[in-house]
Amino acid sequence: MARLLHYAAHPSPRTSTANSAMLSRIRGLEGITSLDLYAEYPRYDIDIEDEQQRLLAHDVIVLQFPLFWYSCPALVKEWLDLVWEHGFAYGQGGDRLKGKLLMLAVTTGGPQEAYGAEGYQHYELRTFLTPFEQAARLAQMRFLAPYVLHGALKTEPEAHALGFLRLMTALRDERLDLRAAESADILTHDTLPLMGIN
Amino acid sequence: MSDFLLLAFLFLIAGVAAVPIATALGLGSVLGYLIAGIALSPILLLLEVDVVSIQHFAEFGVVMMLFLVGLELEPKRLWEMRNRLLGLGGLQVGLTAALIAGVLIAFQMDWRIAVAVGLILAMSSTAIVLQTLAEKGLLRGDGGQASFSVLLFQDIAVIPILALVPLLAIPGAHHAGAEDGHGAGMSLVADLAGWQAALVTAGAIAVVIAGGMFLTRPLFRYIAKARLREIFVATALMFVVGIALLMTLVGLSPALGTFLAGVVLANSEYRHELESDIDPFRGLLLGLFFMTVGAAIDFQMLWDDLFPILGLTLAVIGAKALVLLVLARVFALRGSEKFLFGLGLAQAGEFGFVLTSFAVSNLVLPEDMAPRLNLIITLSMMLTPGLFILYERVIRPAFDRPVEREDDEITEKGTAIIAGHGRFGGIVNRMLLAAGYKTTVLDHSAAQLDMLRVFGFNVYYGDASRPDLLHAAGIEEAKLLVVAIDDPAQAVAIVHHVTQNHPHVHIIARARDRHHVYQLYNAGCRDVIRETFDSSVRAGRSAYEALGMHPFEAERLARSFVKADRHALYELAQVWDPEIPETQNPAYVQKVREMNEVMEPGAALGAFRERHERGWTPPSPQDTESDRQRIEAARDGA
Ligand SMILES: Cc1cc2nc3c(=O)[nH]c(=O)nc-3n(C[C@H](O)[C@H](O)[C@H](O)COP(=O)(O)O)c2cc1C
């Protein structure tokens, strides 16, 4: 069993459909640590020491958020800025996250075909997520392909939410094919590289 | 009795008439008093008033002044000053006396007389210089501190000089009615052997220091509990007079004794209270002193001998300034501070009068020399305000930059004053201290104070609603005043006073309720904090969360509420009128009605909920679609 840490970040849970469906699905899932970042720090007073201890106590870190202006909601950035300190995540003596896994779970308003050179969003989704990918690399972590729901505003979120449950269970039970997950572009509920019984 | 009243009235009327004019013209109060004294002198002559004995009495103002200076000087600072005190002070007295004596000997004067005159003229005027420096805010700068060191040294040096002068007596000289003019009166040490006298003297100093350290606190605390202002004042006076008396008894300078007592009390919580209690007496007595200096000028003699006397006076000032400027250079005073020191101390002083009469009675000086010497001393004192004006208007502007930089250092001192150290002010104080700011705390509960002292807080006893106490606490230099006292009416009074008189001070005021907010706002405070508002809002937020609201939403909703409520309060404060009850104030009623209209459930406080609703609104599918079409059309067109 991998020690799995899950952060969800949505500043407006009342109006969320996709992300809250995902959350409902995994609520109560045993053997994982799940945290609502905006509920934990409604006043942005992130406790660096607590958060670093939490990171150290886990092997797999999943960050779940809606894509806002091609990036993460502000509190996720704040969390990254404060918690991933030099001397902890990078820089001299900063190898405390080494070997851990980082995975994003992102929902976007724009449809799949919009993300690409031909689409109206003009770039691949992965291009927008490169800051996270490079951060993981600097911290000597393995960065898995993000688990994505495109067109979140038009799509029924149920299948995606169920897929998220399967993904989290597999990560916990070490049944996700990490190599496949690393080399994929993005993962969706119907392209999860699960090992063993599906 | 009527004589006394007449005299008091004369002095008061002269001072009241002259001083405000002099200060308005930027000449300083000292010159005003001196001129008032000159104006009075014909009347005093007519009434056959003994000006000199009034002057002796008024000299007690100097003693009080040194007590106050001591209060501002922590023992640590005094110790840091020791080199200057001995080096600068010693050299000033020694070199000045030597220079003047040397010149006089060159002019064929008997060397003994020359030395005595040199010593007499080496003294400067503590009263004039300290008063002027304090009034102009120059005391804390480098030049001011150096001047103070020299004055303090002179003060101490008077004692050995008094012992030395009789040795200069000219053998065989004699004049009628010679008697010991100065040492008259009681003495504890007169009949003792040298070592015994030394022991008694040391004992007296020890009594002053130990008394200041261990006795004053319980005594003042006991008095403070009675909550009688005049008894506190009486105690403070008793304290100063007692020390002066003790010092005189053992043959020490009373000014030195009270100065030491002041230093010992510099860390005491009663410091500001003592300061504001003694200060009016100091001011009145010094004023009287300066007036007697002016009144004592013998114009008959001056006219008879105008040019020689004026010439000699200028020569004395020149010689003293020369020595001072050389010393300023040696002791590395910078820029304009050098000239403040050089010009400020260039006059002769009140100790000169004392030494002159003492020297005459000890047959050191010929009798007919004394009046001329006194006249020269007086004239040099009269010219001092002019030298300060020269410094301020001509010399300092030329050195403008370095002075400004030093000013910054000074304002560092009392950044924040906190009036009232209860549940409210206490927290503000702790927060400021935790962030490294300096605070001065005033509280009028002696019991509360004891407790705070135990925990090492820097607090002072006093009723913050008194302007003079705020002044003593340094309101002139403060950046911030936190009004956190219990009594709502007094809080309004303080705010009113400070916004009127010290507009540069930012005021944060604690308000009891809405009504109090209006009053404080009306009195000029723009940073009013309702004492229970923030905690109530937090309780409301907790309630939101307990009812199932997401914590981040609860936070944002609470913030919107605060914003809307404060806005409403601000609007109402604008139309509130202290003269009209709220229900009869049409503008006020109108505003409340407008607000109530939008206050239906779920939309409490008008725009509050609506504003909250805006935030992270996702685009609709149509929005996304129109973006797509627009962008793709633009690309295909290109
Ligand atoms: C402030 C804001 C910015 C957004 N920026 C983007 C964006 O850059 N790209 C995109 O595809 N969708 C964007 N969206 C749409 C969100 O990604 C979408 O509403 C969200 O993924 C839906 O998840 P939810 O139902 O859990 O709120 C944005 C939405 C908001 C509110």
Side-chain angles (χ1 to χ4, degrees):
Chain A
M1 287 251 289
R3 298 174 299 169
L4 173 55
L5 175 58
H6 164 242
Y7 283 103
H10 199 302
S12 179
R14 205 162 40 84
T15 57
S16 158
T17 48
N19 283 278
S20 52
M22 291 161 74
L23 275 180
S24 314
R25 268 297 161 198
I26 62 155
R27 186 163 299 134
L29 183 60
E30 281 190 17
I32 76 163
T33 310
S34 185
L35 240 96
D36 177 349
L37 205 55
Y38 275 95
E40 193 75 11
Y41 300 115
R43 283 164 285 289
Y44 276 60
D45 47 354
I46 291 169
D47 188 320
I48 298 175
E49 189 53 37
D50 273 11
E51 289 301 325
Q52 291 185 345
Q53 290 309 324
R54 227 195 296 270
L55 288 176
L56 291 178
H58 294 87
D59 312 309
V60 183
I61 293 129
V62 175
L63 297 179
Q64 175 204 331
F65 54 82
L67 193 70
F68 282 179
W69 283 111
Y70 313 107
S71 184
C72 59
L75 186 55
V76 178
K77 183 63 165 50
E78 185 92 334
W79 175 84
L80 206 65
D81 293 353
L82 291 175
V83 180
W84 290 41
E85 275 182 315
H86 81 93
F88 177 79
Y90 70 100
Q92 230 177 12
D95 59 354
R96 311 294 298 278
L97 300 177
K98 185 173 178 175
K100 297 182 190 295
L101 301 183
L102 179 66
M103 185 169 189
L104 306 182
V106 182
T107 62
T108 77
Q112 164 122 48
E113 62 275 14
Y115 284 94
E118 299 296 304
Y120 76 86
Q121 304 286 28
H122 203 71
Y123 298 99
E124 299 284 340
L125 177 64
R126 284 296 293 263
T127 310
F128 294 117
L129 299 180
T130 46
F132 296 93
E133 188 173 347
Q134 173 57 18
R137 185 176 299 150
L138 193 65
Q140 306 176 60
M141 299 170 82
R142 293 173 76 180
F143 187 75
L144 306 184
Y147 179 64
V148 178
L149 173 63
H150 280 301
L153 298 164
K154 291 195 274 193
T155 320
E156 271 302 314
E158 218 20 63
H160 182 73
L162 261 173
F164 189 55
L165 174 63
R166 272 185 288 141
L167 169 67
M168 295 298 273
T169 318
L171 277 171
R172 181 194 65 186
D173 301 341
E174 304 182 35
R175 283 193 299 105
L176 192 72
D177 182 341
L178 294 182
R179 281 194 190 194
E182 262 177 315
S183 54
D185 186 29
I186 62 169
L187 300 178
T188 52
H189 68 94
D190 46 8
T191 58
L192 288 173
L194 301 182
M195 300 189 296
I197 6 108
N198 269 326
Chain B
M1 185 64 187
S2 63
D3 277 1
F4 170 73
L5 289 183
L6 176 65
L7 209 56
F9 184 65
L10 281 177
F11 276 112
L12 287 172
I13 205 171
V16 168
V19 174
I21 297 177
T23 40
L25 294 177
L27 306 176
S29 68
V30 175
L31 195 58
Y33 281 120
L34 291 170
I35 292 169
I38 295 177
L40 267 186
S41 68
I43 309 179
L44 296 177
L45 210 65
L46 214 71
L47 295 172
E48 294 179 14
V49 173
D50 182 0
V51 174
V52 174
S53 71
I54 297 180
Q55 192 169 50
H56 278 321
F57 168 69
E59 261 170 38
F60 198 69
V62 180
V63 172
M64 290 177 157
M65 174 126 217
L66 271 141
F67 178 67
L68 295 176
V69 171
L71 277 180
E72 300 248 329
L73 202 73
E74 286 168 29
K76 209 176 67 203
R77 293 269 299 111
L78 182 61
W79 184 243
E80 284 165 11
M81 275 170 58
R82 67 191 183 280
N83 287 336
R84 277 200 170 167
L85 196 67
L86 295 179
L88 205 51
L91 285 172
Q92 187 271 334
V93 173
L95 291 180
T96 310
L99 178 63
I100 293 176
V103 171
L104 291 178
I105 291 170
F107 279 93
Q108 312 297 322
M109 194 178 265
D110 183 288
W111 71 269
R112 283 166 290 227
I113 299 179
V115 169
V117 172
L119 285 172
I120 287 169
L121 294 177
M123 298 290 132
S124 308
S125 172
T126 310
I128 290 183
V129 179
L130 281 192
Q131 169 82 10
T132 311
L133 288 177
E135 195 169 288
K136 299 188 186 297
L138 297 169
L139 202 48
R140 285 197 177 130
D142 215 22
Q145 289 288 308
S147 307
F148 175 72
S149 302
V150 169
L151 291 171
L152 192 62
F153 178 86
Q154 291 180 356
D155 222 60
I156 303 169
V158 170
I159 318 292
I161 291 176
L162 284 173
L164 195 73
V165 165
L167 306 180
L168 296 172
I170 297 170
H174 170 83
H175 51 78
E179 43 155 6
D180 191 343
H182 181 79
M186 297 175 293
S187 171
L188 282 178
V189 288
D191 305 322
L192 298 178
W195 65 272
Q196 287 170 318
L199 217 62
V200 171
T201 307
I205 292 183
V207 165
V208 170
I209 293 177
M213 284 202 300
F214 303 114
L215 266 180
T216 48
R217 192 164 292 167
L219 176 67
F220 285 133
R221 184 183 306 147
Y222 171 72
I223 302 291
K225 286 208 171 107
R227 293 259 182 140
L228 284 171
R229 176 85 212 284
E230 63 277 14
I231 293 300
F232 203 101
V233 176
T235 315
L237 273 180
M238 179 187 85
F239 188 68
V240 173
V241 172
I243 291 169
L245 183 65
L246 178 67
M247 290 293 115
T248 322
L249 285 180
V250 299
L252 282 182
S253 143
L256 173 68
T258 48
F259 171 73
L260 277 181
V263 174
V264 172
L265 287 174
N267 284 322
S268 149
E269 62 267 50
Y270 297 101
R271 174 182 134 190
H272 292 305
E273 177 75 23
L274 283 170
E275 223 171 290
S276 59
D277 285 346
I278 296 288
D279 199 56
F281 294 99
R282 189 248 351 142
L284 286 176
L285 282 178
L286 278 186
L288 182 58
F289 173 77
F290 298 133
M291 284 195 272
T292 58
V293 171
I297 294 181
D298 187 339
F299 281 99
Q300 191 59 48
M301 186 192 297
L302 185 58
W303 295 143
D304 289 350
D305 248 349
L306 187 62
F307 290 106
I309 287 188
L310 273 186
L312 283 174
T313 307
L314 291 178
V316 168
I317 292 180
K320 296 192 71 165
L322 180 70
V323 171
L324 289 165
L325 285 173
V326 169
L327 286 178
R329 171 143 296 226
V330 175
F331 280 77
L333 287 178
R334 286 170 296 130
S336 67
E337 303 285 334
K338 192 162 58 197
F339 291 94
L340 174 63
F341 178 73
L343 296 180
L345 293 173
Q347 77 296 101
E350 57 275 8
F351 285 130
F353 300 138
V354 175
L355 290 176
T356 305
S357 72
F358 185 66
V360 169
S361 59
N362 278 285
L363 311 178
V364 179
L365 292 185
E367 211 167 357
D368 57 345
M369 198 171 170
R372 299 175 123 244
L373 204 53
N374 280 342
L375 188 56
I376 291 173
I377 295 175
T378 308
L379 285 180
S380 75
M381 286 160 84
M382 291 282 305
L383 291 176
T384 304
L387 292 180
F388 273 109
I389 292 168
L390 176 72
Y391 167 77
E392 270 199 316
R393 306 242 165 114
V394 181
I395 297 177
R396 194 165 59 175
F399 287 92
D400 225 3
R401 279 229 184 115
V403 170
E404 262 173 38
R405 210 175 51 225
E406 273 154 33
D407 274 357
D408 278 346
E409 279 165 29
I410 298 167
T411 46
E412 266 277 308
K413 268 213 131 166
T415 323
I417 300 175
I418 298 178
H421 195 285
R423 289 171 303 148
F424 194 94
I427 288 177
V428 180
N429 185 35
R430 274 169 51 205
M431 286 181 70
L432 290 179
L433 293 177
Y437 292 101
K438 290 216 173 91
T439 62
T440 303
V441 176
L442 303 172
D443 200 289
H444 67 155
S445 149
Q448 166 89 351
L449 229 61
D450 286 351
M451 192 189 73
L452 294 170
R453 279 265 145 177
V454 172
F455 293 116
F457 286 106
N458 184 30
V459 291
Y460 299 96
Y461 170 81
D463 176 353
S465 62
R466 277 172 33 209
D468 54 340
L469 202 81
L470 281 175
H471 168 79
I475 190 82
E476 275 85 4
E477 294 126 57
K479 277 209 183 93
L480 168 69
L481 169 69
V482 181
V483 181
I485 58 174
D486 283 327
D487 187 324
Q490 275 189 3
V492 174
I494 295 179
V495 168
H496 192 79
H497 170 77
V498 176
T499 45
Q500 295 295 311
N501 297 290
H502 311 283
H504 71 281
V505 178
H506 181 105
I507 307 176
I508 300 174
R510 158 201 192 180
R512 200 110 291 203
D513 47 31
R514 285 180 163 257
H515 193 74
H516 198 205
V517 172
Y518 301 147
Q519 292 177 318
L520 290 164
Y521 187 87
N522 196 257
C525 181
R526 291 294 173 269
D527 199 349
V528 182
I529 313 275
R530 280 172 282 170
E531 61 178 1
T532 55
F533 184 67
D534 287 58
S535 45
S536 309
V537 167
R538 279 174 59 193
R541 195 180 62 202
S542 270
Y544 283 159
E545 289 183 22
L547 291 171
M549 197 183 282
H550 188 275
F552 188 63
E553 194 181 357
E555 170 67 21
R556 298 211 321 122
L557 203 53
R559 279 192 210 174
S560 307
F561 178 86
V562 169
K563 228 174 170 170
D565 184 75
R566 288 181 56 188
H567 179 71
L569 195 62
Y570 170 78
E571 299 259 290
L572 289 175
Q574 306 275 306
V575 293
W576 184 81
D577 188 332
E579 307 297 326
I580 323 173
E582 274 120 72
T583 48
Q584 288 163 34
N585 176 341
Y588 187 92
V589 171
Q590 170 73 16
K591 262 264 146 34
V592 174
R593 287 227 176 105
E594 277 171 30
M595 285 169 181
N596 279 343
E597 263 164 35
V598 281
M599 240 194 242
E600 69 234 26
L605 285 160
F608 149 63
R609 185 96 200 171
E610 183 191 303
R611 175 180 328 169
H612 172 69
E613 225 94 275
R614 280 175 71 175
W616 304 289
T617 321
S620 68
Q622 291 92 310
D623 294 328
T624 318
E625 182 53 26
S626 72
D627 281 339
R628 184 187 67 80
Q629 286 173 3
R630 186 175 49 76
I631 293 172
E632 283 179 357
R635 192 173 47 199
D636 296 345

